Structures are given as structure tokens and as C-alpha cells.
Amino acid sequence: MSTVTATTPPRASALAMSIRQNRGFYGALLLLAALYLVYNLIHPRGFSTNVFIANTNESVALAFVAMAQAMTVIVGGLDLSVGAVMTLTSCIASELVRGEPWQIALGCIVSVAAGAGFGLINGLVIVYGRLQPIIATLATGAVAIGLALLIRPQPGGEVDLDLNWAVTNSIKDLAETYHLFDDGEAAWLQPVAWVPVPLLILVVITAAVWIPFQRTVTGRTLYAIGSSEGAAYMSGLPINRAKLWAFTLAGLFAGCAGLYLAIQTGSGNADIPQAGAYTLNSIAAVVLGGISLLGGVGTVIGALVGALILRTISFYFRILSIDPLLQPLVEGVVLLAAVSLGAIRTLRVKNRLELFR
Amino acid sequence: MANDLTLPRLKSDDLPIVISAGFVLVILALGSIYTVATLGTMPLLSPNYLLTQLQTGAFLGIVAAGMMMVILLGHIDLSVPWTMTAAAMLATTVGGPAAIPTGLAVGLLVGLFNGFGVAYLRIPSMIFTLGVDSVMRGLMIAHTGGFAPQDSATPLMRYLAADKLLGVPVAIFVWAAVSIVIAAILSRTAFGKAIYATGNREAASYLSGIRTRWVIVGAFAISGLCAALAGVLLAGYSAKAYQGMGNAYLLPAIAAVVIGGTHILGGRGRFIGTVVGVILIVLLNSVLSIMQMPEAGRQIIYGLVIIVMLLVYGRTAKVTS
């Protein structure tokens, strides 16, 4: 490796190095691009803003939940409560996000903060209680579902309709709803007026939370813990702080998912099977996005890509008019095929001891 | 209480079992105090009531027994829900004397496939079994068209799941038989020792001459068989198979195994602990339903009990090197 980087120009080698280190991520990105391109080619109204907006709308919640899962998988853990925390925050949001503008804003903040707070509790139990993340979050997930049922025994709620319209459409519609930028007619806005707000939300939150965090010592410590916790400890890295941050940010992302889901559907629903499905899909998305379940490899952006791949596959069912009953079968086969590709590595291993980790 | 049934081993492995057995008694005592205060009777302590509870616990107990084999290896089997459902659906579809063998064959096949993916392809069990679960769900939905199948369970399935022998539900005998077989495998056979060894450190076991891949495949096959048996019995209990019948068993099974003191990363745990863990979860559920606790309160209490039990004895060593 070092000889290659020494003989090639620095910039090319940086990209080449990045690709070599993140094969899974770049593979996922290519797969997503190919899948979505073909989808638009065969869609009768392909490449149109409406289709794009509808697709992004349906992807946001899963994308956030997958990003939440990625935070904990990178440190070598697993969070089985992400779907439950999403459900809890969507129930909270369905109660609070209405009324005066300041009430709506406060409601959004409280919902996301509730998610982050629940994530922090997960972190405290795991770090100071020294419990295995899988089993601890299995239990706290039950608590989260219980709280969600307390808040909302029956599905329902009246989330602010303006907000619902504004965040599930294009930027122009957002500006029009709130009379910003000359009702969305400002000349400088036109080049991006078609961009779906859900996509903007995903990009902004990823850029505001993950990218700065990744560069901090705490952020780098996540990867060190995932690779070898003992070595990270001996290097004097802030292990406990990093784990607490990982689970808190996981809660924050799950909170964003819940808030968006509540605004998108206009209601809250303490749906236990739905929470379980989101949790399981988040694990699948994380793996598809090139994050190692053993920890230490991958990024939150990979999980985002993985979630979009899963959603794109489900879009195919509608336009190809495949029996929706076959959807779980195809999803499962795709997942198994994707992870089996990673197994090719094992056929090339010469020393079998390297397989055991 | 039931500790003298198996061979004495490490003291530290017994602690979780003693504590959870004690907690079972606490649940029974608190539940009885509640019923005395509200109803004036103690239905919880009547043998009939306990036997009925154990009968419904038998399905969970059988699933947990198979799950324990896999968790002892440091793996996990998330394909249990739809393995159960697939076994039950195919068993009722085939019907006749071949029903139960068909169901068990489904479980064995799923287990062997899981084992192949985990042991030979080296795919993390968490994700491979999740994919298999999704595939099984897809196959069953395609098979039934998404509706509950009309075929009903065979008389033998009903007898095993819902009938009584000498005043004791037959399902409890089935659970006991499965338990004895698994306990014997774990404590008396080379395969059982190989499971503990592989769960502790696969590389060391491999270098010691254990065929660790076969051990993994074997454990997943047993887990698949147990899930299938539980699915077939559950179909017998409710007289037919239905969509999603196994969904409620996955997480309680994992919880029962872990509450019983089996280490989630593998290598440590005694079978009797899993039995106590199952009893604890079943009794906790039944006491909460006697109290007419709404679902919200049940979920919260259920989660808190697992956390508290694990905080008492399930803490991992502090990372120091």
C-alpha cells in the first residue's frame, strides 16, 4: 500500500486510498445510482420532480433510523431500540407539534431532545452499567414502546398542516407556505426551488451533526473503540465519553426520524410491529452501506445510502406491478446476496485463523 | 431450588440462576398479595393455574432452548419467528401423519442454511439470520397469499399442544423432553463441550482440533429444529397456523436466555438458567395480566426488569487493556 501511495500523485492517491478503504461504501453508492437511474428510466413519469419528492419523503424516516444505527455499530455495538425511540418521539411530536409557531418550534425541539435524551440513557446504562448494548437496548426499547403507548394509546394527533405541507414538498412550496423569499419567487432561489425539502433536511442534519463530529477526538475515538477497545483505552482515548456521544447521537437521529414521521403522517401511532420493522431494516441498511457489524469501519453517510437502496428496491414493486406479497421475499434475497458478496473475501483467505474474529 | 438437577460447575455461573429463581418467588409473592387484597384468593399458587401458565410457557421454553445453543457460540438466531411460522404453515398444509416431520424438516433446513452462511461464508449471524427470516416471511406470504391458511392442525399436533396427560398438559412433557435432551447435549457430549469452547474463542478451539464450522452448523440446526417444534405445537394449540405467529417469541426467548445467566457474547451459561429465565418471563407476564396492567405498563416493567436483573449480575468486565 505505502509504495503505491508514494509513486502516484497525492490527489489521485487520496481518492484511490479512500476507495480502497471504503470499498463497501463506494459499491453501495454505485448500486444506489444504478438502481435509481433504472427506476427513473422505466417509470412512466421518471426524472420528474414529483416522483423525486415522493421518493425522498418515503425514505427520510428509514434514513435517519439507519444513521442512528450506524452510530452504535461503528463503536462495535448495536441499538435494538432505534425503532422504538423513533416511535416514542413520533408520539411525543404528534402531541406537541401544533398551535402557534413558537409552540410548533418548541414541540419539534422537545421531540428531538426526547430522542437524544433517551439515547443518553441508553449510553449511561451501557457505559456505567457495563451491559452488552444488544441486550440493554432490547430492554430499553421495550420501555420506549411502553412510554409511547402511555402517550398515545390510540393512533391519532393533529400535527400542524402547514408544516406537513411545507416539509413534504419542494423548497419552493416551503417558501410559499411561510411567505419567505417573495413566496418562493426570488430569482436566486429558482435553481434549487425544485429540491425536495426532505432531502434538504437529510443533507443539512448530516452536515451539521455528523461531519463536524467525525473530525473531533471523540468522533475518531468511535472508530478506535470499534477496531479495538482495549487498544483505544491504552492509548488514553476518552472511551466512555465517545460511547455516550455515540448513543446520544443515535437517539438524536432516531428522534429526527420520529419527528419527521409524525409531521409526514400528521399523526402518531405506537405501532410495535412498525418499530420492530424499522429496527431490523436499519441493521440491513447499515450492512448494505458498507459498515462492518464488527465495528470500526464505515460512516453514517454509508448508512444513509444503504437506507436509500432499501427504499429504492421497494419503489420497484409499484412500477413493475409486482405482487406486493413478494416484496419481503425480494428484500430478503437482495440482503442475503449483498452480504454474501462480502463473503468472497473468505474464499481468498489463505490462513484460516484470520477468519476467526 | 432446581439447582441440584445438573452437575455443579462454577459458582459464578450459578449466581444468576439463584437470583432469577429468587425473583420468580418474589413475583409469585407480590402477585399473591395483590390477588388477596383485591379478590381475596390466591389463584397464582394453585397448581392448575401454574400448569396452565407453564403450558403457554412451553412454546417459549422450546424456542429459548434452541436459541441458547446459538447464543453460547456468541451468535444469535433472528430467523426464529418465521421459521416457527413456516414450520406451522407447512405442517398444517401437508396434514396427516407427515405433518410434524414436515414441520421439523423445514426447521432443520433453515437451521442448516443459517449455519452454512455463518460458519462457511463467515457472514455475521445477526444479519444472515435476519435475511433468512425475511426470505422465509416472503416465501410464506407468497405461499398463503397473505391470508391465514384454512388448513387446521392434525389431531396429534393438538394432542401434543393442548391436551392433558395425568392432569398435566402434554406440552409441558414435550418441553421437559426437549430440555433434558439439550441439557444432556450441553453437559454430557463432546459436541456440548465444543460449543462452550468455540463460544469462548473460536481460533483456540480450531487449533485444538475442534471442527468449529460443524459445531456452528450443528447449533444452528438445533435452533431451527426447536423453533420448528415450537411453531408446530403453537399451531396445534391454536388449532391452525396464522401469519406472524412467531413474532412474539423472538425477543422474549433472547431475554430468557440472557436473564438465565448465559453470556450474550458466548461461552458461558447453564441450561437450567434458561429454564428459570423462561419461567420468570411467563410468570411476570401472567401476574401483569392478572393486575390488568395495560400494555404500556407491561412493556415498561418488562424492560426495567431485564435491565435491573442484568445490572445485578450481567455486568461485563471493565476494559483495562
Side-chain angles (χ1 to χ4, degrees):
Chain A
M1 298 258 176
S2 59
T3 54
V4 175
T5 48
T7 52
T8 45
R11 180 156 303 181
S13 77
L15 182 65
M17 178 79 98
S18 170
I19 290 178
R20 241 197 325 272
Q21 286 179 338
N22 301 294
R23 279 214 181 96
F25 171 70
Y26 285 99
L29 209 55
L30 273 180
L31 179 64
L32 174 65
L35 277 175
Y36 201 64
L37 186 71
V38 173
Y39 169 76
N40 271 299
L41 284 174
I42 55 179
H43 194 290
R45 288 179 292 113
F47 299 109
S48 72
T49 312
N50 284 343
V51 172
F52 193 43
I53 288 175
N55 289 346
T56 46
N57 260 325
E58 285 178 54
S59 310
V60 172
L62 181 62
F64 273 129
V65 173
M67 286 158 70
Q69 189 66 267
M71 293 302 305
T72 62
V73 172
I74 288 172
V75 287
L78 199 75
D79 190 343
L80 293 182
S81 72
V82 284
V85 174
M86 178 197 79
T87 306
L88 172 62
T89 52
S90 77
C91 289
I92 294 174
S94 72
E95 289 285 350
L96 297 181
V97 182
R98 65 177 114 170
E100 299 293 316
W102 67 269
Q103 287 175 318
I104 293 176
L106 187 68
C108 292
I109 292 169
V110 169
S111 309
V112 174
F118 204 92
L120 178 64
I121 293 173
N122 273 340
L124 290 172
V125 168
I126 289 161
V127 170
Y128 294 106
R130 295 208 304 271
L131 298 187
Q132 280 302 318
I134 299 182
I135 198 74
T137 53
L138 175 73
T140 56
V143 176
I145 283 287
L147 293 174
L149 279 166
L150 271 186
I151 294 168
R152 203 154 263 306
Q154 306 294 331
E158 302 122 34
V159 176
D160 189 70
L161 284 176
D162 280 353
L163 188 62
N164 166 284
W165 174 257
V167 303
T168 53
N169 285 286
S170 68
I171 288 181
K172 184 167 185 299
D173 296 310
L174 171 76
E176 215 171 72
T177 313
Y178 291 111
H179 307 296
L180 301 165
F181 316 126
D182 307 331
D183 283 359
E185 299 294 340
W188 61 269
L189 192 66
Q190 296 316 308
V192 291
W194 58 275
V195 173
V197 178
L199 184 67
L200 185 73
I201 294 173
L202 273 179
V203 171
V204 165
I205 292 191
T206 312
V209 177
W210 168 248
I211 292 178
F213 178 71
Q214 186 191 19
R215 290 161 193 268
T216 61
V217 171
T218 314
R220 303 317 294 167
T221 306
L222 297 186
Y223 288 93
I225 296 173
S227 300
S228 166
E229 187 166 352
Y233 176 85
M234 293 309 269
S235 314
L237 291 173
I239 288 189
N240 287 353
R241 194 174 75 200
K243 280 188 176 173
L244 285 177
W245 270 105
F247 280 92
T248 308
L249 287 181
L252 180 101
F253 285 135
C256 292
L259 175 62
Y260 190 84
L261 199 65
I263 297 174
Q264 183 198 1
T265 59
S267 61
N269 182 5
D271 184 345
I272 298 178
Q274 186 196 33
Y278 268 92
T279 303
L280 295 185
N281 276 329
S282 74
I283 301 174
V286 158
V287 172
L288 282 176
I291 299 172
S292 165
L293 283 179
L294 299 171
V297 177
T299 69
V300 160
I301 301 170
L304 174 62
V305 173
L308 296 181
I309 291 176
L310 278 185
R311 274 292 181 259
T312 308
I313 292 169
S314 67
F315 298 151
Y316 272 86
F317 285 87
R318 253 172 271 155
I319 53 163
L320 293 182
S321 57
I322 304 174
D323 192 344
L325 291 177
L326 289 177
Q327 183 163 347
L329 179 61
V330 176
E331 278 176 1
V333 170
V334 168
L335 179 63
L336 281 186
V339 294
S340 300
L341 280 181
I344 294 170
R345 177 186 70 91
T346 61
L347 301 178
R348 275 188 271 150
V349 168
K350 296 210 176 67
N351 179 355
R352 201 189 276 184
L353 278 177
E354 286 176 12
L355 290 178
F356 308 127
R357 193 191 140 171
Chain B
M1 39 185 281
N3 282 333
D4 48 359
L5 284 179
T6 51
L7 291 173
R9 210 180 289 145
L10 282 175
K11 272 283 175 231
S12 66
D13 278 2
D14 293 337
L15 181 69
I17 303 170
V18 174
I19 294 176
S20 42
F23 197 72
V24 168
L25 298 180
V26 171
I27 292 174
L28 282 178
L30 287 180
S32 297
I33 291 170
Y34 176 84
T35 52
V36 166
T38 53
L39 309 171
T41 55
M42 290 197 286
L44 266 177
L45 299 182
S46 80
N48 260 335
Y49 180 83
L50 285 177
L51 285 177
T52 322
Q53 292 307 312
L54 287 182
Q55 182 182 12
T56 51
F59 312 120
L60 179 61
I62 294 169
V63 174
M67 183 68 81
M68 183 183 176
M69 303 290 270
V70 176
I71 292 183
L72 276 176
L73 286 171
H75 289 291
I76 203 156
D77 187 353
L78 299 184
S79 70
V80 158
W82 284 90
T83 307
M84 287 175 73
T85 313
M89 283 181 170
L90 291 183
T92 53
T93 307
V94 170
I100 295 180
T102 309
L104 294 183
V106 171
L108 183 63
L109 279 180
V110 174
L112 289 175
F113 187 64
N114 281 333
F116 168 76
V118 174
Y120 286 85
L121 300 181
R122 311 302 302 185
I123 299 169
S125 53
M126 171 98 41
I127 194 70
F128 193 81
T129 53
L130 179 64
V132 169
D133 187 57
S134 186
V135 168
M136 296 304 294
R137 178 167 66 119
L139 286 174
M140 284 308 111
I141 290 178
H143 167 67
T144 59
F147 301 106
Q150 291 305 306
D151 310 293
S152 52
T154 62
L156 179 59
M157 284 159 70
R158 287 194 197 173
Y159 172 77
L160 287 177
D163 228 333
K164 283 190 175 183
L165 179 68
L166 308 171
V168 176
V170 182
I172 295 181
F173 287 111
V174 179
W175 179 21
V178 170
S179 298
I180 290 169
V181 170
I182 301 269
I185 288 177
L186 283 178
S187 58
R188 301 295 175 98
T189 65
F191 176 60
K193 300 294 175 198
I195 286 184
Y196 281 101
T198 309
N200 265 313
R201 194 164 285 272
E202 190 174 356
S205 313
Y206 171 74
L207 289 177
S208 317
I210 294 172
R211 291 173 176 157
T212 58
R213 291 174 169 183
W214 290 19
V215 172
I216 294 174
V217 171
F220 273 98
I222 291 176
S223 175
L225 270 176
C226 285
L229 179 61
V232 168
L233 287 181
L234 192 59
Y237 186 68
S238 39
K240 56 158 75 177
Y242 51 95
Q243 301 287 339
M245 58 196 286
N247 290 354
Y249 286 86
L250 174 63
L251 298 184
I254 300 174
V257 172
V258 175
I259 284 181
T262 301
H263 201 270
I264 191 84
L265 296 182
R268 280 177 55 195
R270 295 183 53 195
F271 184 76
I272 191 74
T274 300
V275 176
V276 176
V278 169
I279 294 174
L280 192 157
I281 286 182
V282 169
L283 286 183
L284 182 63
N285 267 332
S286 68
V287 166
L288 291 179
S289 60
I290 284 183
M291 291 178 169
Q292 294 174 339
M293 180 71 69
E295 181 69 17
R298 276 182 194 227
Q299 293 278 349
I300 294 174
I301 292 173
Y302 188 61
L304 290 181
V305 164
I306 296 177
I307 292 275
V308 169
M309 303 281 296
L310 289 179
L311 283 178
V312 174
Y313 57 73
R315 303 181 72 188
T316 51
K318 198 168 186 190
V319 173
T320 47
S321 66

